[in-house]
Amino acid sequence: MSKFYITTPIYYVNARPHIGHAYTTIACDTVARRQRLLGADTFFLTGTDEHGQKIERAAQAAGKTPQQYADEISAQFRALWQRMGISNDDYIRTTEERHTKRVQELFRRIRDNGYIYKGTYTGQYCVSDELYVDGAQPGDPCPTCGRITETVHEENYFFRFSAFQDKLLELYANPDFVRPETRRNEVIAFVRSGLRDLSISRSTFSWGIPVPDDPKHVIYVWFDALANYITAIGYGSSHPGAQEAFKKYWPADVHMIGKEIVRFHCVYWPAFLLAAGLELPKAIVAHGWLLFEESKMSKSRGNVVRTETILDVLGADALRYFLLREVVFGQDGSFSFDALVQRYNSDLANGLGNLASRTLTMINRYFKGEVPYPSHAASKTAADDAVAETARKTIREFGTLFDQFQFSRALETAWGLVAAVDKYIVENEPWALGERQDEDSRSRLATVLYTAAEALRIVTALAHPVIPDATARIWTQMGLGDIKKLAIKELSWGQLQLGTKLGEVQPVFPRADKSAIERMQQMEDQQRGPAADEVKDAVPPTSPATSPAKAQPGTNAGAASPANEGKITIEDFAKVDLRVGRVKVAERVPKSDKLLRLEIDIGTEVRQVLAGIAEAYAPETLVGRKVVIVANLAPRKMRGLESNGMIVAASLEGGQPVLASFLEDVPVGARLK
Ligand code: MSP
């Protein structure tokens, strides 16, 4: 029996899961499910990445310990995958002991092999990407995310990256190692430009795995995180069962990732493995980004769509189908509720769902719920053979495209068969044949319904890894039992048995009307903040959103007493995250007299903020200026643009707003409290 090992990236616990994360997980889940149907001993791994400065800071901002914070968010990811029926075989957390010990083992092995030495690092670092930015100067932005880098000067352990340049380039000669081609070229160019030794420890904070024998240092979070792919399956364990699992599953068949982490997976990871004398993964496959309103869906942009909203309204299959059908794998793709509902209605409700219900209902009505078979050769026509031929071609093409990760084309092919059968049904009018009692009509009707049902069975089998729930239900309605037992390698035309007794026929994809879009939008707006979409123009810089009068009376005994009426407690105030930011970009918002669009660096990230100060400040006078921003205000939309925070100003009766500022110099990112 062949084996198949596939992984998702492990997700950072600084943000709640959104559909960008779900996208990778769904794609891997789909591949894992198909491999199981193909008979491979499949292992599918996902999990969470919980160490490093980014998580430490996020926990601090949330007033929690890093471990508490990681526990909460990791549990949210896990619960979401469970709710979605994701079929992962394990869930690794980098704070688990099984991981930390084995990472130290890997570090030790590479050190013993002579590829780690001690030195001093001075340079720029991006906390958001946990990336050392070679060649950058203080104040320079991160080339990946555009946030301002921080200067790091500390004693570190270094990895002898330079020793692996040629070996890495040899690896990329294999066109399957990094996919797609654009990413492979990017990686080759990066490695050809020369590799500098890489700092693989940090010593100025402590949220990480201690370096063996030198616990003042913690292991660089990417070294720690990448190692999950081997620690989860037993690398570095002394337990015989774990060692066996590692032997069986490593090397991974596919590491699936988003395009922004290609360098870590295609350059750093193979170099670490080579240094440890371990085998390399067979393929690293990068997909593009899900965009929402034309920018990458991410927590810091505040434009994320929660997966739960879609699950509540349309279900997991709808999201799975949409993402894999609509987005060309490897390229960026846009997400919108309109497109989701349109695709759901056209391909699932009116497409597969309708084919299933009309075919099975007619078998119930005309053949008492048993799959019929033509009784004599005269009942066959060329149209029947054409459907059979299309089905055979679909099985072949679907497999090839799917195994090349061309999910959208594979699904397009399968739905080509749905369209062909729909047309066939319309042209052959089984309902008209069903009204006649003569033997020829009965026989012809049997052929038409058998052909439709057999094509339905084939599409259902092919689509199962993508829409597991609905296809399992169609399978049972067809009387075929448990779809998981299907051996897809043997799938071929004509296997549907005469006399198969149908189960109870029920619609699998009820049509969604316009209210589905509205409901999903409303659910998201509620999450993003009150009346987010109603704000059409400038909000005064001191908007009521931060007004103390909003404190809930009665929630705190002290605050509710008459003497304290209208006052807030220190805990209430602490909820407002006020920070020093620096304006990087300022420009007018088209067609608005009051609004400016600002990009503000707040130390950990650069935020887009819309401020109603255009009448008081010319944009060019603001660039470089330090301002105070409310950093944890729910995002809101104005003039179609997302505002992620609010700058603070004195609001003068009848006069212009005046921005809050400082007499002394204060660092960007400092908190006001
Ligand atoms: N923790 C690192 C990965 C370590 S792997 C050893 C990390 N985590 S992350 O939480 O930022 O998640 C990254 C992955 O989530 C991306 O590589 C991608 O697979 C997925 N996505 C997150 N946002 C996304 C979009 N907007 N669109 C598509 N996928 C996205 O990086």
Side-chain angles (χ1 to χ4, degrees):
M1 194 194 215
S2 63
K3 69 89 190 171
F4 189 84
Y5 176 31
I6 183 165
T7 64
T8 72
I10 46 171
Y11 302 106
Y12 282 131
V13 290
N14 69 318
R16 290 167 52 92
H18 58 71
I19 63 166
H21 307 116
Y23 179 47
T24 321
T25 306
I26 288 170
C28 287
D29 184 64
T30 308
V31 174
R33 283 175 185 270
R34 181 166 164 91
Q35 286 296 328
R36 290 190 194 108
L37 294 183
L38 285 168
D41 176 349
T42 303
F43 196 87
F44 166 25
L45 177 70
T46 189
T48 42
D49 186 356
E50 307 184 3
H51 287 131
Q53 212 168 6
K54 167 176 167 135
I55 306 303
E56 191 182 66
R57 285 187 186 171
Q60 218 165 17
K64 304 198 167 140
T65 66
Q67 190 63 61
Q68 270 174 339
Y69 186 71
D71 287 348
E72 279 169 25
I73 300 202
S74 181
Q76 288 176 13
F77 273 95
R78 196 195 289 251
L80 178 62
W81 304 148
Q82 261 165 13
R83 175 168 179 206
M84 289 176 72
I86 297 297
S87 66
N88 54 302
D89 297 285
D90 199 353
Y91 185 89
I92 179 111
R93 298 185 54 192
T94 56
T95 52
E96 287 173 79
E97 201 187 45
R98 62 166 170 159
H99 176 75
T100 56
K101 285 207 158 136
R102 296 171 191 178
V103 167
Q104 289 177 321
E105 180 53 37
L106 180 69
F107 192 98
R108 237 182 246 122
R109 181 151 165 186
I110 298 179
R111 193 178 56 192
D112 293 349
N113 287 350
Y115 293 110
I116 290 179
Y117 64 92
K118 213 173 195 179
T120 302
Y121 180 81
T122 302
Q124 297 306 116
Y125 191 79
C126 170
V127 177
S128 179
D129 288 305
E130 299 281 14
L131 170 74
Y132 293 96
V133 185
D134 284 341
Q137 300 303 316
D140 280 358
C142 165
T144 308
C145 68
R147 293 180 180 93
I148 301 298
T149 52
E150 295 180 21
T151 305
V152 169
H153 174 74
E154 59 188 43
E155 192 188 51
N156 290 151
Y157 283 93
F158 281 82
F159 173 71
R160 266 184 225 290
F161 223 150
S162 38
F164 296 97
Q165 181 158 354
D166 295 342
K167 286 203 186 102
L168 288 169
L169 287 170
E170 273 166 36
L171 278 180
Y172 310 139
N174 167 8
D176 288 339
F177 185 61
V178 178
R179 288 189 255 183
E181 173 102 37
T182 41
R183 302 292 157 224
R184 178 171 157 242
N185 293 338
E186 193 180 290
V187 168
I188 294 176
F190 175 74
V191 175
R192 276 211 185 117
S193 73
L195 294 178
R196 298 227 309 229
D197 287 355
L198 177 75
S199 159
I200 52 162
S201 76
R202 299 288 313 269
S203 52
T204 48
F205 66 92
S206 58
W207 183 237
I209 302 175
V211 166
D213 314 316
D214 197 354
K216 280 202 313 295
H217 294 255
V218 291
I219 294 175
Y220 174 39
V221 62
W222 270 102
F223 184 100
D224 163 350
L226 288 161
N228 92 86
Y229 300 135
I230 56 175
T231 62
I233 52 165
Y235 168 80
S237 166
S238 52
H239 192 277
Q243 286 174 349
E244 211 170 287
F246 180 64
K247 223 188 256 159
K248 173 152 125 201
Y249 291 115
W250 190 255
D253 293 82
V254 176
H255 288 318
M256 199 176 276
I257 58 171
K259 66 178 183 182
E260 79 288 1
I261 52 175
V262 160
R263 188 186 302 174
F264 300 105
H265 283 81
C266 306
V267 187
Y268 291 18
W269 181 225
F272 297 156
L273 289 166
L274 286 169
L278 292 167
E279 279 187 82
L280 301 174
K282 292 190 197 143
I284 298 156
V285 179
H287 63 69
W289 284 340
L290 279 191
L291 311 176
F292 193 69
E293 286 164 354
E294 278 148 49
S295 62
K296 186 194 174 204
M297 206 177 278
S298 75
K299 179 195 162 198
S300 53
R301 287 189 177 87
N303 65 347
V304 295
V305 174
R306 292 171 329 122
T307 312
E308 291 84 345
T309 297
I310 299 162
L311 301 184
D312 285 349
V313 177
L314 294 177
D317 279 352
L319 177 64
R320 295 170 70 100
Y321 181 81
F322 173 80
L323 292 177
L324 294 182
R325 172 66 185 85
E326 193 85 6
V327 181
V328 176
F329 204 73
Q331 296 176 19
D332 293 350
S334 289
F335 177 85
S336 77
F337 290 119
D338 286 30
L340 169 67
V341 169
Q342 207 177 333
R343 215 9 119 188
Y344 171 86
N345 277 335
S346 69
D347 292 14
L348 298 179
N350 298 342
L352 181 63
N354 186 40
L355 173 64
S357 75
R358 79 207 296 209
T359 306
L360 302 182
T361 304
M362 283 191 280
I363 294 178
N364 265 342
R365 182 176 311 149
Y366 302 125
F367 293 96
K368 299 201 180 77
E370 279 184 20
V371 173
Y373 204 73
S375 53
H376 58 83
S379 68
K380 295 265 285 170
T381 68
D384 314 330
D385 292 338
V387 171
E389 200 35 52
T390 307
R392 286 191 196 100
K393 198 166 124 251
T394 304
I395 295 172
R396 279 194 308 273
E397 285 180 2
F398 185 93
T400 311
L401 291 166
F402 197 97
D403 296 339
Q404 295 167 344
F405 307 99
Q406 299 197 44
F407 306 116
S408 59
R409 286 188 58 202
L411 290 170
E412 192 180 359
T413 306
W415 261 252
L417 178 58
V418 173
V421 187
D422 273 343
K423 187 160 170 269
Y424 169 85
I425 293 177
V426 170
E427 285 172 0
N428 287 280
E429 300 185 322
W431 44 87
L433 292 167
E435 295 311 304
R436 300 189 208 124
Q437 299 306 324
D438 60 291
E439 202 191 319
D440 278 0
S441 300
R442 284 292 292 170
S443 196
R444 182 73 202 130
L445 177 62
T447 305
V448 172
L449 289 183
Y450 180 87
T451 305
E454 179 57 344
L456 169 67
R457 185 186 70 92
I458 285 171
V459 178
T460 304
L462 294 176
H464 177 60
V466 180
I467 43 174
D469 184 45
T471 47
R473 284 191 283 145
I474 296 175
W475 206 251
T476 324
Q477 294 182 19
M478 292 186 81
L480 299 170
D482 181 1
I483 197 167
K484 287 214 180 84
K485 299 207 176 115
L486 162 78
I488 209 157
K489 258 190 201 148
E490 273 116 56
L491 183 70
S492 64
W493 182 266
Q495 291 164 322
L496 183 60
Q497 297 291 313
L498 164 71
T500 306
K501 186 102 192 76
L502 301 191
E504 195 190 333
V505 176
Q506 274 177 346
V508 282
F509 293 116
R511 245 191 95 77
D513 59 24
K514 269 218 148 123
S515 73
I517 303 177
E518 284 156 22
R519 253 183 303 150
M520 287 189 284
Q521 259 155 0
Q522 265 169 15
M523 285 160 85
E524 286 301 290
D525 289 346
Q526 272 162 13
Q527 284 289 325
R528 286 180 197 165
D533 266 335
E534 286 163 27
V535 185
K536 292 282 187 291
D537 209 332
V539 193
T542 46
S543 103
T546 55
S547 157
K550 284 240 154 172
Q552 294 281 315
T555 50
N556 173 302
S561 72
N564 286 341
E565 207 167 323
K567 297 194 176 140
I568 61 166
T569 63
I570 189 79
E571 290 80 35
D572 289 330
F573 174 70
K575 285 185 195 147
V576 184
D577 184 8
L578 287 169
R579 287 213 238 155
V580 177
R582 189 203 310 269
V583 179
K584 291 187 65 199
V585 175
E587 60 191 27
R588 291 184 177 280
V589 171
K591 299 197 198 120
S592 169
D593 297 336
K594 295 186 192 149
L595 274 188
L596 290 185
R597 189 186 78 83
L598 308 171
E599 284 176 30
I600 301 179
D601 172 16
I602 58 165
T604 45
E605 63 194 81
V606 176
R607 291 280 187 88
Q608 171 169 285
V609 173
L610 302 182
I613 53 171
E615 287 166 336
Y617 292 91
E620 55 282 7
T621 62
L622 291 174
V623 176
R625 178 169 175 160
K626 285 186 178 156
V627 291
V628 175
I629 129 161
V630 182
N632 62 343
L633 197 63
R636 56 169 70 203
K637 249 189 176 171
M638 295 176 233
R639 304 246 164 204
L641 293 168
E642 197 100 68
S643 183
N644 244 301
M646 185 184 87
I647 56 171
V648 177
S651 176
L652 308 182
E653 196 68 30
Q656 306 277 25
V658 178
L659 290 175
S661 55
F662 298 91
L663 292 176
E664 289 86 8
D665 195 24
V666 280
V668 166
R671 220 184 144 177
L672 279 76
K673 48 187 182 180

